[in-house]
């Protein structure tokens, strides 16, 4: 099969499309013929050598496609079913991928829209679960217009929370459409939040990693009321919880999200798609920053 791989660390130019052996599912897994695969910041961090030291490396933890092989013990899907989910091996940006955790593609979505879901939905759900966001909570989301932030805003609103979200002014209309009250980030952010929230917020979630944890702690009243998924060093320095998948994933989110999408209560836009062969351009677009939504690779 064709797959994305790099054999040295560096810029997008180190990415290659190579031929690799076809994977096969183990117990509890399925293999899909990949139709779309999500692109995430972790991809360029890996490519830059900021995560794993081994070489070569493949890329991609989320994908959507058609089931074409079924592992032992899998009884709730059949050959030809449309599914989306996680590839634990990190090799989903390929013609075939083995999914260890998966769910049916919501009827309203195509493959690109489904491939955009897993990482954003799981990360947002895990963060909200760990923060204890519930009916009546006042939640501040820092970086609310990105894919994880947008997922967190919508899922918090579903829980009955009031949400304030930081973003550039160009994305404020988008945040309002998701159910959040937008404020601009940057100098004066705390004052703008207090203008909406009075004495402060109950809880704060940082998905941007923009160095604002001290401000979030002041707004939430305590470091225990703040969680970040993007600022590991800041979390250690300020006593804030850093949420990572290896501490336990909210995999139930994959099964739960379909009903919300079908009910019109959740949407995650795809900002741009690229052919698999243009993965380097997808990395360049991601590192530059882009319009709200997810970058997705399409596999022919």
């Amino acid at each position: 099969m064709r797959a994305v791989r790099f054999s040295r660390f560096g810029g997008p130019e180190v990415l290659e499309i190579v031929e690799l052996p076809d994977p096969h599912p183990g117990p509890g897994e399925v293999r899909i013929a990949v139709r779309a695969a999500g692109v995430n910041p972790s991809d360029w961090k890996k490519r830059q050598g900021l995560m794993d030291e081994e070489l070569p490396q493949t890329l991609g933890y989320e994908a959507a496609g058609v089931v074409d092989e079924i592992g032992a013990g899998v009884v709730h899907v059949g050959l030809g079913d449309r599914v989306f989910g996680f590839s634990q091996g990190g090799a989903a940006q390929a013609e075939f991928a083995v999914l260890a955790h998966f769910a049916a593609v919501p009827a309203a979505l195509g493959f690109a829209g489904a491939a955009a879901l897993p990482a954003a939905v799981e990360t947002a759900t895990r963060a909200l679960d760990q923060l204890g966001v519930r009916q009546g909570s006042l939640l501040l989301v820092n970086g609310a217009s990105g894919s994880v932030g947008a997922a967190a805003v919508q899922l918090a609103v579903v829980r009955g929370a009031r949400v304030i979200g930081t973003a550039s002014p160009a994305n404020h209309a988008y945040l309002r459409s998701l159910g959040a009250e937008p404020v601009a980030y940057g100098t004066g952010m705390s004052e703008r939040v207090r203008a909406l929230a009075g004495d402060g917020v109950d809880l704060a979630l940082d998905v941007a990693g923009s160095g604002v944890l001290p401000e979030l702690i002041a707004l939430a009243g305590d470091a225990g009321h703040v969680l970040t998924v993007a600022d590991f060093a800041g979390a250690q320095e300020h006593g804030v919880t850093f949420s990572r998948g290896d501490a336990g994933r909210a995999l139930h989110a994959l099964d739960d999200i379909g009903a919300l999408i079908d009910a019109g209560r959740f949407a995650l836009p795809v900002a741009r798609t690229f052919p698999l062969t243009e993965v380097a351009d997808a990395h360049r677009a991601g590192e530059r920053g882009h319009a709200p939504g997810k970058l997705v690779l399409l596999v022919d």
Side-chain angles (χ1 to χ4, degrees):
M1 69 172 184
R2 294 181 305 154
V4 177
R5 190 178 72 174
F6 59 91
S7 298
R8 58 189 175 93
F9 298 120
E13 69 278 357
V14 305
L15 298 172
E16 302 174 295
I17 304 297
V18 301
E19 293 286 338
L20 295 178
D22 292 352
H24 299 283
E29 299 174 333
V30 299
R31 188 180 81 170
I32 60 170
V34 177
R35 296 293 182 262
V39 179
N40 294 289
S42 61
D43 292 339
W44 45 89
K45 291 178 182 178
K46 287 184 67 175
R47 190 202 72 225
Q48 294 166 359
L50 301 178
M51 295 178 65
D52 305 318
E53 297 180 356
E54 299 83 4
L55 288 171
Q57 291 185 39
T58 53
L59 288 173
Y61 286 97
E62 56 182 352
V66 178
V67 175
D68 78 336
E69 283 190 15
I70 298 176
V74 176
V75 297
H76 58 290
V77 298
L79 296 176
D81 286 357
R82 302 191 319 148
V83 300
F84 71 103
F86 287 108
S87 168
Q88 288 185 319
Q93 294 174 11
E95 290 182 306
F96 296 97
V98 171
L99 303 185
H101 305 285
F102 49 89
V105 173
L109 293 186
F111 289 117
L117 294 174
V121 169
E122 187 281 325
T123 302
T125 300
R126 170 168 29 97
L128 298 181
D129 287 349
Q130 291 175 328
L131 275 172
V133 175
R134 59 187 183 275
Q135 176 79 33
S137 296
L138 176 50
L139 172 69
L140 172 62
V141 178
N142 179 54
S145 63
S147 58
V148 175
V153 167
Q154 295 174 87
L155 293 173
V157 169
V158 166
R159 296 184 184 204
R162 177 188 172 193
V163 183
I164 297 172
T166 72
S168 66
N171 290 325
H172 284 190
Y174 174 58
L175 291 191
R176 291 189 188 95
S177 76
L178 302 180
E181 300 168 56
V183 298
Y185 55 69
T187 303
M189 183 267 287
S190 293
E191 289 73 19
R192 290 187 287 275
V193 171
R194 291 188 187 279
L196 293 174
D199 292 335
V201 299
D202 300 322
L203 304 163
L205 170 60
D206 170 40
V207 301
S210 51
V212 299
L213 290 182
E215 290 180 79
L216 300 186
I217 293 169
L219 287 165
D222 188 276
H225 298 160
V226 180
L227 181 144
T228 180
V229 298
D231 188 356
F232 180 72
Q236 290 186 309
E237 180 180 356
H238 300 291
V240 167
T241 297
F242 180 83
S243 179
R244 66 173 98 204
D246 56 10
R249 287 185 166 189
L251 295 169
H252 63 90
L254 298 184
D255 293 313
D256 297 342
I257 199 64
L260 295 178
I261 291 171
D262 290 341
R265 304 187 71 188
F266 185 93
L268 194 63
V270 173
R272 190 174 172 188
T273 62
F274 299 80
L276 183 70
T277 53
E278 296 178 12
V279 60
D281 289 336
H283 278 229
R284 294 184 184 100
E287 290 178 283
R288 285 196 303 267
H290 52 81
K294 194 71 174 280
L295 300 177
V296 174
L297 298 174
L298 301 180
V299 182
D300 184 357

